[in-house]
Amino acid sequence: MAYGLFLGCNMPAIRPDVEKAIRLTMPALGVELLDMEGYVCCPAFGTFPSLDEEAHLAVSAWNLSIGEKKGVDILVECGSCYRSLRSGKRCLDQHEAHRKRANELLAKTGRSYEGKATPRHISDVLLHEVGLSTIRAAVKKPLGGLRAVVQYPCHTLFPHKTVGFEESSVRPHGLADLVEALGASVEHFSAEYQCCGGAGGFHGSSKAEANAFAKTKLDAIIAETRADLIVVSCITCLMHLDNVQKELSRDGASYAIPVFDYNQLLALCMGFDAQQVASLCTVPRQAIVNALR
Amino acid sequence: MIDLDVAQRNLWQDIDPHGNLLYCFSCSTCVVGCPASNAIPPLLIRNLVRSVTLGLEDDLLDNDTPWTCVTCSRCEEMCPMGVDPFEIVLALRRWQCRNDETRIPMAAAEIYKRGYTQPVDKAQEVRASVGLTEPLPTINRLPELHQQFKDMLMQVEIIHNADYMFED
Ligand code: SF4
Ligand code: SF4
């Protein structure tokens, strides 16, 4: 089982410990990862998709055709990248005129777009290709006794017809199942399916309101659960839920729930070095790392 | 007061030629689930759709709220009328860009110049700290391919017309 590893922008530049965790855990579970030479930004929705449809689809086709040329599907962790690549593929596959134009634009690269490479979210691959029993068997240090809450990335839920890989977009349970396979218990709370609020222009243009929005989620976690950690599977959710706690703590309150990408936890449970797979964070993770020693 | 006599009644054709937004019945489902409806000023997607169908061109050209969307697509999933409000958000941004060059996202020019919205090629130190020492095959390390990428995008009319924003 081989995939092209689509890194996006934030993971390799700001949170490469997540990249390292993915590069260590996935091959150990039988998933071979191939680098995508000359890949570019997904394109993020705030860039070409907000400027011009033809440019948007040309950039989508650029990235998708790299996987296609290698004869592999594409593995994505970042929710925005996943959604952008899925939308690009759907549009190119459904509209011949778009596909034709994208291929004209791609012509000089010697690559073409035929729609053969499918972007897959890493949770989808872990659930449906690797499987929970393989994950359970790979765990050397289980998270026994720890309580987690999960954050489902919106971009893996909506719109279901484009991105969905679970039966229901409004009652997802895949990430909780994956966390339980590591030995932790997952607690549920009222704001579980609320967006983190970290993507797009909301936080940049309306910081106080975006922070208040994230606060309702964190307050619900604190009031309704005994969570020791938050588990996400999207680089935006990870950075936002981690960093926003520091911003909120400045206002007198104290928020300090460690946040992990799923593959970081998986890597720790499989015995990989915490410095390599989980060292970059705002809220300290030491309590969780120590519990796994 | 909105003066409907000066409205551009065919505006929707310029923004959403598929005409999906004509099916909107103002139920506000898209607003109640929208994270960015909490922004100030709030993103009220229902009102934007309404402004398009009424043809309120000047109001829409000045409206910054489409840019606060977090791209979560709840509205697209939940809209009972298949309006695809998220697609309307993107269509509005593109329409604003077509009418006002200053709306062109700087991040698009950043991707043109460097391939990424973050300094992927300049993160060696932090990457080395987590044991990632192999250089990534990023597009800036592959000059011939990078030139092909730029040439591809320069064939797009709106980029060609604003080329000074894209070239260094
Ligand atoms: S959910 Fe759909 S029909 Fe309802 S107001 Fe929004 S766009 Fe209109
Ligand atoms: S996609 Fe944008 S407009 Fe739609 S609900 Fe999410 S933030 Fe609001």
Side-chain angles (χ1 to χ4, degrees):
Chain A
M1 190 176 3
Y3 290 87
L5 176 60
F6 190 87
L7 294 170
C9 301
N10 286 323
M11 189 200 312
I14 304 173
R15 294 295 183 106
D17 54 344
V18 178
E19 178 185 334
K20 184 70 179 179
I22 291 171
R23 288 185 185 276
L24 290 171
T25 51
M26 298 309 277
L29 295 170
V31 178
E32 191 191 339
L33 300 174
L34 309 177
D35 277 326
M36 294 180 62
E37 293 82 11
Y39 86 95
V40 293
C41 171
C42 43
F45 282 115
T47 67
F48 293 106
S50 297
L51 170 62
D52 182 85
E53 203 167 26
E54 190 176 298
H56 168 192
L57 292 172
V59 177
S60 301
W62 177 277
N63 284 326
L64 292 164
S65 66
I66 297 172
E68 189 158 320
K69 188 149 193 194
K70 289 179 182 289
V72 292
D73 285 342
I74 297 168
L75 185 83
V76 198
E77 183 265 358
C78 169
S80 306
C81 298
Y82 171 70
R83 165 74 208 275
S84 172
L85 291 169
R86 292 288 282 208
S87 295
K89 181 175 193 310
R90 190 179 162 89
C91 196
L92 288 161
D93 290 351
Q94 288 189 341
H95 303 282
E96 203 193 327
H98 285 319
R99 192 162 65 243
K100 202 166 150 249
R101 179 61 180 148
N103 273 322
E104 274 168 29
L105 290 170
L106 269 186
K108 277 193 197 155
T109 64
R111 301 195 305 271
S112 64
Y113 178 85
E114 287 175 50
K116 288 184 185 149
T118 302
R120 301 277 306 266
H121 190 258
I122 196 162
S123 299
D124 178 22
V125 171
L126 285 166
L127 283 166
H128 301 122
E129 304 298 338
V130 173
L132 294 174
S133 55
T134 304
I135 294 171
R136 266 184 226 109
V139 170
K140 292 185 190 134
K141 303 175 183 178
L143 294 173
L146 288 176
R147 304 183 196 96
V149 291
V150 297
Q151 168 73 31
Y152 289 94
C154 303
H155 290 120
T156 64
L157 302 177
F158 313 122
H160 192 254
K161 63 176 192 284
T162 308
V163 301
F165 51 80
E166 293 203 52
E167 223 164 275
S168 163
S169 61
V170 290
R171 299 283 187 282
H173 54 79
L175 190 54
D177 296 347
L178 286 167
V179 173
E180 281 169 357
L182 305 180
S185 61
V186 175
E187 302 210 349
H188 301 282
F189 62 106
S190 55
E192 184 160 336
Y193 303 124
Q194 180 180 308
C195 174
C196 74
F202 182 26
H203 188 251
S205 67
S206 232
K207 200 173 185 154
E209 290 71 30
N211 284 357
F213 181 74
K215 184 174 181 295
T216 59
K217 174 157 222 145
L218 293 163
D219 285 345
I221 294 173
I222 293 163
E224 301 167 30
T225 77
R226 293 161 300 166
D228 302 302
L229 69 159
I230 302 172
V231 187
V232 305
S233 190
C234 163
I235 209 76
T236 303
C237 299
L238 176 71
M239 297 194 322
H240 188 61
L241 289 177
D242 189 17
N243 297 339
V244 81
Q245 294 190 62
K246 189 171 175 195
E247 289 178 25
L248 290 171
S249 297
R250 268 186 215 133
D251 302 334
S254 164
Y255 292 88
I257 315 171
V259 191
F260 289 82
D261 171 78
Y262 180 75
N263 279 74
Q264 298 185 301
L265 268 191
L266 176 62
L268 292 173
C269 291
M270 289 172 75
F272 292 110
D273 174 17
Q275 165 59 35
Q276 294 205 342
V277 302
S279 56
L280 304 170
C281 54
T282 301
V283 176
R285 291 171 171 151
Q286 213 49 46
I288 306 294
V289 172
N290 289 344
L292 279 167
R293 283 249 161 76
Chain B
M1 259 285 273
I2 295 170
D3 182 359
L4 290 178
D5 286 341
V6 300
Q8 307 287 328
R9 295 310 292 258
N10 293 326
L11 180 63
W12 65 271
Q13 291 171 349
D14 206 10
I15 293 172
D16 178 32
H18 309 296
N20 283 331
L21 53 68
L22 300 176
Y23 292 88
C24 170
F25 70 143
S26 292
C27 68
S28 296
T29 302
C30 54
V31 174
V32 278
C34 174
S37 68
N38 295 289
I40 294 183
L43 168 55
L44 301 171
I45 179 81
R46 182 198 73 137
N47 297 21
L48 293 176
V49 169
R50 200 91 197 118
S51 298
V52 177
T53 45
L54 288 173
L56 306 180
E57 192 168 17
D58 293 343
D59 286 4
L60 283 167
L61 277 174
D62 284 344
N63 197 315
D64 295 329
T65 62
W67 299 86
T68 59
C69 163
V70 304
T71 78
C72 72
S73 287
R74 275 179 176 70
C75 54
E76 189 174 342
E77 181 85 350
M78 305 305 171
C79 168
M81 295 306 289
V83 173
D84 278 7
F86 171 56
E87 290 301 328
I88 305 296
V89 165
L90 292 181
L92 273 167
R93 292 178 181 180
R94 291 193 292 262
W95 173 79
Q96 289 182 338
C97 288
R98 288 199 294 280
N99 286 285
D100 175 2
E101 237 175 43
T102 64
R103 291 277 189 189
I104 293 179
M106 290 314 291
E110 200 55 36
I111 297 173
Y112 178 91
K113 289 177 203 165
R114 280 171 267 285
Y116 312 98
T117 58
Q118 297 290 347
V120 177
D121 49 320
K122 294 196 181 70
Q124 286 92 344
E125 202 175 314
V126 65
R127 293 179 62 77
S129 78
V130 298
L132 289 167
T133 48
E134 292 276 308
L136 279 177
T138 47
I139 195 158
N140 58 300
R141 307 179 68 90
L142 305 161
E144 202 181 320
L145 206 59
H146 196 175
Q147 193 55 49
Q148 286 173 359
F149 180 64
K150 290 179 172 179
D151 292 346
M152 173 180 88
L153 287 170
M154 257 318 140
Q155 292 177 59
V156 175
E157 194 184 348
I158 194 167
I159 296 175
H160 186 79
N161 292 343
D163 58 355
Y164 72 95
M165 292 176 76
F166 287 81
E167 297 294 355
D168 272 316

